[in-house]
Amino acid sequence: MPYTAIVVGAGSKIAQAIIEQLIEAPDCQQIIAISRQQTFSNEKVTSFNCEYTEACIEQLCSGLKLNYPVAFTFICQGILHQGELQPERKIEAISAENMRKVFEANTVIPSLWLKYLTPHLKSTEPCKVVLFSARIGSISDNQLGGWYSYRASKAALNMMVQTFSVELARRAKNIKLLAFHPGTTDTPLSEPFQGSVPEGKLFSPEFVAAQLLSLLDALEIDGKASYMDWNHQPISW
Protein backbone atom coordinates (compact mmCIF):
# COMPACT_ATOMS: atom_id res chain seq x y z
CA MET A 1 0.00 0.00 0.00
CA PRO A 2 1.43 3.43 -0.91
CA TYR A 3 2.49 5.55 2.04
CA THR A 4 4.08 8.84 3.04
CA ALA A 5 7.13 9.16 5.32
CA ILE A 6 8.09 12.31 7.22
CA VAL A 7 11.72 12.98 8.17
CA VAL A 8 12.48 15.87 10.53
CA GLY A 9 16.10 16.89 10.88
CA ALA A 10 16.74 15.74 7.33
CA GLY A 11 20.14 17.41 7.25
CA SER A 12 21.67 14.82 9.59
CA LYS A 13 23.70 11.96 8.18
CA ILE A 14 21.39 9.27 9.59
CA ALA A 15 18.31 11.07 8.29
CA GLN A 16 19.82 11.31 4.82
CA ALA A 17 20.59 7.59 4.90
CA ILE A 18 16.98 6.89 5.94
CA ILE A 19 15.71 8.99 3.05
CA GLU A 20 17.96 7.22 0.55
CA GLN A 21 16.67 3.84 1.70
CA LEU A 22 13.04 4.99 1.69
CA ILE A 23 13.47 6.19 -1.89
CA GLU A 24 14.24 2.58 -2.82
CA ALA A 25 11.14 1.24 -1.02
CA PRO A 26 8.44 0.62 -3.69
CA ASP A 27 5.49 1.45 -1.41
CA CYS A 28 7.01 4.71 -0.15
CA GLN A 29 5.59 7.17 -2.66
CA GLN A 30 6.06 10.47 -0.81
CA ILE A 31 8.82 11.65 1.53
CA ILE A 32 8.52 14.94 3.41
CA ALA A 33 12.06 16.03 4.32
CA ILE A 34 12.28 18.87 6.86
CA SER A 35 15.53 20.58 7.80
CA ARG A 36 17.05 23.99 8.30
CA GLN A 37 18.61 24.16 4.83
CA GLN A 38 19.01 20.71 3.22
CA THR A 39 17.28 20.06 -0.11
CA PHE A 40 16.76 16.86 -2.09
CA SER A 41 16.35 16.39 -5.82
CA ASN A 42 14.57 13.03 -5.98
CA GLU A 43 11.02 13.14 -7.30
CA LYS A 44 9.69 11.28 -4.28
CA VAL A 45 11.08 13.88 -1.86
CA THR A 46 9.54 17.23 -1.03
CA SER A 47 11.96 19.45 0.90
CA PHE A 48 10.91 22.02 3.48
CA ASN A 49 13.20 24.38 5.38
CA CYS A 50 12.36 25.53 8.90
CA GLU A 51 14.17 27.43 11.65
CA TYR A 52 12.58 25.14 14.30
CA THR A 53 10.84 27.93 16.17
CA GLU A 54 7.37 26.98 17.38
CA ALA A 55 5.77 29.46 14.98
CA CYS A 56 7.67 27.98 12.02
CA ILE A 57 6.89 24.41 13.08
CA GLU A 58 3.18 25.16 13.45
CA GLN A 59 2.99 26.99 10.11
CA LEU A 60 4.83 24.27 8.22
CA CYS A 61 2.77 21.46 9.70
CA SER A 62 -0.53 23.23 9.11
CA GLY A 63 0.30 23.58 5.42
CA LEU A 64 1.46 20.01 4.73
CA LYS A 65 -0.22 18.29 1.81
CA LEU A 66 0.04 14.53 2.18
CA ASN A 67 -0.83 12.25 -0.73
CA TYR A 68 -0.96 9.02 1.29
CA PRO A 69 -1.34 7.88 4.91
CA VAL A 70 1.80 8.49 6.98
CA ALA A 71 3.40 5.14 7.78
CA PHE A 72 6.66 6.43 9.29
CA THR A 73 7.81 9.63 10.97
CA PHE A 74 11.40 10.20 12.02
CA ILE A 75 12.25 13.05 14.38
CA CYS A 76 16.03 13.10 14.17
CA GLN A 77 16.76 16.57 15.49
CA GLY A 78 19.16 17.02 18.44
CA ILE A 79 22.46 18.40 19.71
CA LEU A 80 25.44 17.09 21.70
CA HIS A 81 28.07 19.79 21.18
CA GLN A 82 28.37 23.10 19.36
CA GLY A 83 31.40 25.35 19.56
CA GLU A 84 32.05 26.05 23.23
CA LEU A 85 29.04 23.96 24.21
CA GLN A 86 30.49 20.58 25.18
CA PRO A 87 29.27 17.69 27.37
CA GLU A 88 29.99 18.49 31.01
CA ARG A 89 32.45 16.12 32.64
CA LYS A 90 32.01 17.56 36.14
CA ILE A 91 29.52 19.59 38.16
CA GLU A 92 31.53 22.79 37.82
CA ALA A 93 31.05 22.75 34.03
CA ILE A 94 27.27 23.06 34.23
CA SER A 95 25.94 26.34 32.82
CA ALA A 96 22.34 27.51 32.66
CA GLU A 97 22.76 28.87 29.13
CA ASN A 98 24.13 25.61 27.75
CA MET A 99 21.51 23.54 29.57
CA ARG A 100 18.76 25.63 27.99
CA LYS A 101 20.27 25.13 24.51
CA VAL A 102 20.56 21.37 24.96
CA PHE A 103 17.05 20.95 26.38
CA GLU A 104 15.62 23.16 23.64
CA ALA A 105 17.20 21.02 20.92
CA ASN A 106 16.79 17.56 22.46
CA THR A 107 13.50 17.79 24.33
CA VAL A 108 11.45 20.87 23.46
CA ILE A 109 11.76 20.92 19.67
CA PRO A 110 11.13 17.17 19.13
CA SER A 111 8.06 17.47 21.38
CA LEU A 112 6.76 20.41 19.33
CA TRP A 113 7.17 18.48 16.12
CA LEU A 114 5.14 15.60 17.52
CA LYS A 115 2.50 18.03 18.79
CA TYR A 116 1.95 19.67 15.42
CA LEU A 117 2.41 16.57 13.27
CA THR A 118 -0.04 14.39 15.22
CA PRO A 119 -3.14 15.59 13.31
CA HIS A 120 -1.48 14.31 10.11
CA LEU A 121 -0.57 10.96 11.69
CA LYS A 122 -4.00 9.94 12.96
CA SER A 123 -5.69 7.54 10.55
CA THR A 124 -6.92 3.99 10.21
CA GLU A 125 -3.47 2.90 8.98
CA PRO A 126 -0.51 2.02 11.24
CA CYS A 127 1.92 4.88 11.84
CA LYS A 128 5.27 4.37 13.57
CA VAL A 129 7.01 7.44 14.98
CA VAL A 130 10.71 7.45 15.88
CA LEU A 131 12.23 10.04 18.18
CA PHE A 132 16.00 9.87 18.35
CA SER A 133 16.96 9.35 21.97
CA ALA A 134 20.12 7.73 23.38
CA ARG A 135 21.03 5.00 25.83
CA ILE A 136 22.62 7.73 27.94
CA GLY A 137 19.10 8.98 28.65
CA SER A 138 18.30 5.83 30.63
CA ILE A 139 18.17 6.71 34.35
CA SER A 140 18.56 3.10 35.47
CA ASP A 141 21.51 2.52 33.11
CA ASN A 142 23.52 5.54 34.32
CA GLN A 143 26.67 4.12 35.93
CA LEU A 144 29.27 6.57 34.61
CA GLY A 145 27.82 10.01 35.40
CA GLY A 146 28.90 13.15 33.56
CA TRP A 147 27.37 14.63 30.41
CA TYR A 148 24.74 16.24 32.62
CA SER A 149 22.71 18.28 30.16
CA TYR A 150 22.71 15.70 27.38
CA ARG A 151 21.74 12.88 29.75
CA ALA A 152 18.99 14.91 31.34
CA SER A 153 17.61 16.19 28.04
CA LYS A 154 17.35 12.67 26.63
CA ALA A 155 15.80 11.37 29.88
CA ALA A 156 13.27 14.20 29.61
CA LEU A 157 12.60 13.29 25.97
CA ASN A 158 12.01 9.68 27.05
CA MET A 159 9.44 10.88 29.58
CA MET A 160 7.73 12.93 26.88
CA VAL A 161 7.61 9.85 24.63
CA GLN A 162 6.10 7.75 27.42
CA THR A 163 3.55 10.43 28.26
CA PHE A 164 2.63 11.07 24.63
CA SER A 165 2.05 7.33 24.19
CA VAL A 166 -0.41 7.19 27.09
CA GLU A 167 -2.55 9.91 25.51
CA LEU A 168 -2.21 8.63 21.95
CA ALA A 169 -3.32 5.16 23.05
CA ARG A 170 -6.68 6.80 23.73
CA ARG A 171 -6.80 9.38 20.94
CA ALA A 172 -4.80 7.91 18.04
CA LYS A 173 -4.63 4.16 18.40
CA ASN A 174 -2.83 3.72 15.08
CA ILE A 175 0.36 5.44 16.32
CA LYS A 176 3.33 3.59 17.82
CA LEU A 177 6.13 5.64 19.44
CA LEU A 178 9.75 4.53 19.56
CA ALA A 179 12.61 6.21 21.45
CA PHE A 180 15.60 5.01 19.43
CA HIS A 181 19.27 4.70 20.38
CA PRO A 182 21.30 4.59 17.14
CA GLY A 183 24.59 3.69 18.78
CA THR A 184 27.76 5.65 18.07
CA THR A 185 27.47 6.60 14.42
CA ASP A 186 30.13 8.13 12.21
CA THR A 187 28.62 11.62 12.05
CA PRO A 188 29.69 15.14 13.05
CA LEU A 189 27.75 14.69 16.32
CA SER A 190 30.03 11.88 17.52
CA GLU A 191 33.24 12.91 15.77
CA PRO A 192 35.01 14.47 18.81
CA PHE A 193 34.38 11.33 20.86
CA GLN A 194 35.13 8.56 18.38
CA GLY A 195 38.61 7.88 19.75
CA SER A 196 37.17 6.01 22.74
CA VAL A 197 34.74 3.88 20.73
CA PRO A 198 35.58 0.14 20.80
CA GLU A 199 36.53 -1.47 17.50
CA GLY A 200 33.49 -2.48 15.52
CA LYS A 201 31.15 -0.18 17.46
CA LEU A 202 31.38 2.90 15.23
CA PHE A 203 28.53 2.48 12.76
CA SER A 204 27.91 3.99 9.36
CA PRO A 205 24.71 6.04 8.90
CA GLU A 206 23.62 3.55 6.24
CA PHE A 207 23.93 0.64 8.69
CA VAL A 208 21.94 2.47 11.38
CA ALA A 209 19.22 3.44 8.91
CA ALA A 210 18.87 -0.17 7.72
CA GLN A 211 18.73 -1.45 11.30
CA LEU A 212 16.08 1.11 12.22
CA LEU A 213 13.88 0.36 9.23
CA SER A 214 14.03 -3.37 9.89
CA LEU A 215 13.19 -2.72 13.55
CA LEU A 216 10.14 -0.69 12.56
CA ASP A 217 8.92 -3.48 10.33
CA ALA A 218 8.87 -5.79 13.37
CA LEU A 219 7.24 -3.39 15.88
CA GLU A 220 3.60 -3.96 16.71
CA ILE A 221 1.04 -1.22 17.23
CA ASP A 222 0.36 -1.92 20.89
CA GLY A 223 -0.48 1.46 22.43
CA LYS A 224 2.81 1.55 24.32
CA ALA A 225 6.09 3.39 23.84
CA SER A 226 9.24 1.38 23.14
CA TYR A 227 12.83 2.32 23.98
CA MET A 228 15.20 0.27 21.84
CA ASP A 229 18.67 0.29 20.33
CA TRP A 230 20.18 -0.25 16.89
CA ASN A 231 20.49 -3.97 17.64
CA HIS A 232 16.74 -4.28 18.23
CA GLN A 233 17.26 -4.70 21.98
CA PRO A 234 15.06 -2.99 24.59
CA ILE A 235 16.64 -0.40 26.90
CA SER A 236 15.56 0.10 30.49
CA TRP A 237 13.86 3.47 30.95
Side-chain angles (χ1 to χ4, degrees), residues 61-131:
C61 292
S62 65
L64 283 180
K65 304 298 182 185
L66 304 179
N67 300 332
Y68 308 96
V70 179
F72 302 111
T73 297
F74 305 87
I75 301 177
C76 309
Q77 201 271 338
I79 190 174
L80 173 58
H81 59 87
Q82 188 178 73
E84 294 184 0
L85 191 162
Q86 297 292 326
E88 311 96 336
R89 299 183 184 278
K90 55 184 179 180
I91 294 172
E92 289 81 0
I94 294 172
S95 107
E97 180 181 359
N98 285 348
M99 286 192 76
R100 280 191 288 267
K101 288 179 180 178
V102 173
F103 270 80
E104 178 80 9
N106 293 345
T107 310
V108 177
I109 292 174
S111 299
L112 290 174
W113 279 113
L114 188 55
K115 170 187 175 180
Y116 289 110
L117 284 172
T118 292
H120 295 292
L121 309 183
K122 296 169 62 176
S123 75
T124 58
E125 299 298 324
C127 177
K128 297 171 183 180
V129 180
V130 181
L131 295 99

Side-chain angles (χ1 to χ4, degrees), residues 89 144 147 184 190-202:
R89 299 183 184 278
L144 297 176
W147 291 37
T184 305
S190 70
E191 188 173 0
F193 314 101
Q194 291 179 7
S196 60
V197 178
E199 186 175 353
K201 292 297 184 180
L202 179 64

